[in-house]
Structures are given as structure tokens and as C-alpha cells.
Amino acid sequence: MSRTPIMAGNWKMNLDHVAATSLVQDLGEALKAAGYDSAKSEAVVIPPFTDIRTVATLIDADKLPIAYGAQDISAHDDGAYTGEVSGTMLSKLGCSYVVVGHSERREYHNESDELVNAKAKKAIENGMTPIICCGEALEVRKAGKHVEHTVGQIKADLDGIPAEQVAKLVIAYEPIWAIGTGETATADDAQEVCQAIREAVKELYDAPTAEAVRIQYGGSVKPANVAEIMAKPDVDGALVGGASLKAGDFSKIVTFYEA
Ligand SMILES: O=C(CO)COP(=O)(O)O
């Protein structure tokens, strides 16, 4: 079973819709120049909500080989939830992916595994693929509990999601201490946890589901370290923050197989 690597750029709270236009145009050109092959990796951008319509229009008009998604989704369908954005709104904009449970939301917005699970289900219900984030803080790693912690999160985040849906979704392992710090986990660190997650999916479901689910690594991924990380058997992609804000760098990450 071969899994197409998924290289997703999480822009976080950066770039307004005008800046988004330039970045997506530049990215389209950079990918073309780099000989991007969508059979070898999937390019995805995850802009702020306010940019999605603009990004969608541009990708559509220029037929760019780039998928897009959102950084969050409401666990509710509609109604009196000020500030929330629903799954229907996102799917109507053509979003293919929705990031759920990013460590920044878990930390600054107190998101629990129960909420992350509800959001993942909402994305699926609306025909989008959740990218479920997990990963440990520095103290947890220092205590040697990173595998246990991360696998525990994933088990809770997948609760009640059937095998055929799990096979299609994406899990992103992002050790918190490696996010935005320039401190990358080694390729072996990434492999250790990604393998443990796949093993957990196999135990919870079955071997075909575990073989199919795509597991990304995230945390200070750069053009210089992406190839080594991607060479690991259980790493199927990258969730990229800072380096996804530069078209040239993100294009190199997406086309890591050229290195
Ligand atoms: O959190 C991340 C992506 O979701 C990783 O961010 P950086 O690539 O900036 O470390």
C-alpha cells in the first residue's frame, strides 16, 4: 500500500487575504518551476479563515495543483456560537482539509480530546478530511512519556470514528517543543512516534486501516531537513508552519523528492 505524502502549510495567524494572493501565486509558479508532480506529493495550504475565499478563487481560476483547508472548525452545526465557523461554511468554500486539535488551540483555547474528537467528526460529516494534531510538551518528553502521551491523545481523538473514515484521515505528530523553536525532532524521533501511532491504529482497528492512514510530522520542518524526515517509513508528510510562509521554501518542501 503506498501512501501519497501530504505536505501542508499551516499559515497560522499570518498573512491577510491580499498577502495570501501573492503567496499562492508565487507558490504556483515555484511548484511549476520545480517540476511538481501531484502523484509524488500533495500540496496543501491552510490559511486563516478570512483568506480562504480569495485562495479558493485563485486556485480555481489558475487551476493550481494546490488543495486548501481551514485551521479549525466548530463542533456545532449552526446557531448562536459567536465567532465560530461551521463545517458547512468551510465545505461550501471548497475546503478539502481541516486542522483539528493543533497544540496552540489545545493550549490557548483549552481544547480537550473530547472537543477535538467532535471537531474531527464534524469535518468528516461535511465531506472534509481532518488533520488531527497530537504531540507532547517538553516535560513529557523529558520524562520519557512521549509515546504514551501521544498515543493516548490519538485514541481519544479517534473515538467513535469508523475504520473506513480513519483510513482516509491525516494525523499530524507535532512535538510542542519543536514548534517554531528551530528545534527539530530528529528523523528517528519522528519515526518512533509516527510508528507508535500507526501501531495504535492497527490495535484499535485493523492492519489495512493502519497501512492507509497518513501520518505527518510537524515542528521546524525546513527545506534542509525535510528529505531526511520523509525518508522514514512511517512519516507520510509534513505539517509546516514558518517555512510555509515563503513560496520558495514551501515549494522545496513539497518537492522534497527532488533533493
Ligand atoms: O505547528 C506547526 C505546524 O502546524 C509547526 O510550526 P513550525 O514549522 O513553524 O515549527
Side-chain angles (χ1 to χ4, degrees):
M1 154 76 77
S2 67
R3 300 179 291 266
T4 306
I6 172 167
M7 314 308 276
N10 173 11
W11 296 1
K12 306 191 179 182
M13 197 172 72
N14 293 293
L15 309 181
D16 59 36
H17 73 280
V18 179
T21 306
S22 317
L23 178 56
V24 171
Q25 271 168 344
D26 292 350
L27 180 60
E29 278 164 28
L31 288 174
K32 203 168 168 189
Y36 168 64
D37 178 353
S38 61
K40 292 190 182 157
S41 71
E42 201 181 330
V44 183
V45 291
I46 315 276
F49 289 130
T50 52
D51 298 6
I52 296 176
R53 179 66 193 256
T54 307
V55 166
T57 305
L58 182 57
I59 287 175
D60 219 35
D62 292 356
K63 305 213 168 6
L64 300 176
I66 303 169
Y68 55 92
Q71 297 175 17
D72 189 25
I73 180 173
S74 176
H76 304 284
D77 287 327
D78 50 44
Y81 300 102
T82 302
E84 296 268 279
V85 176
S86 76
T88 358
M89 294 169 183
L90 298 174
S91 65
K92 198 117 194 185
L93 285 172
C95 288
S96 306
Y97 294 96
V98 180
V99 171
V100 296
H102 192 281
S103 60
E104 287 149 16
R105 294 210 61 86
R106 290 179 189 260
E107 185 177 349
Y108 310 138
H109 300 270
N110 294 318
E111 292 200 3
S112 63
D113 283 317
E114 289 69 28
L115 182 60
V116 174
N117 174 251
K119 288 183 171 189
K121 286 175 175 162
K122 226 18 114 185
I124 294 168
E125 228 176 274
N126 285 284
M128 297 174 289
T129 301
I131 298 177
I132 303 176
C133 302
C134 56
E136 81 285 355
L138 188 58
E139 314 84 73
V140 177
R141 172 153 292 255
K142 280 187 174 157
K145 300 253 191 272
H146 49 286
V147 169
E148 190 183 315
H149 172 89
T150 307
V151 165
Q153 283 181 317
I154 282 304
K155 283 186 174 164
D157 298 343
L158 293 179
D159 188 47
I161 303 180
E164 69 266 26
Q165 300 299 344
V166 173
K168 287 187 265 182
L169 58 75
V170 178
I171 294 171
Y173 168 57
E174 299 203 303
I176 297 169
W177 49 271
I179 295 178
T181 56
E183 186 91 39
T184 326
T186 65
D188 287 335
D189 290 337
Q191 167 60 20
E192 180 195 25
V193 182
C194 291
Q195 183 179 19
I197 292 170
R198 199 177 304 286
E199 202 53 46
V201 171
K202 188 175 160 189
E203 276 168 29
L204 285 171
Y205 296 91
D206 48 41
T209 306
E211 275 304 301
V213 67
R214 290 187 292 176
I215 307 176
Q216 298 175 307
Y217 166 78
S220 299
V221 173
K222 303 275 180 301
N225 60 26
V226 64
E228 193 192 348
I229 293 166
M230 290 303 297
K232 293 295 172 185
D234 287 297
V235 179
D236 308 316
L239 187 55
V240 187
S244 74
L245 300 174
K246 293 185 194 128
D249 282 359
F250 190 53
S251 163
K252 283 189 191 132
I253 290 170
V254 171
T255 57
F256 66 93
Y257 45 79
E258 297 286 347

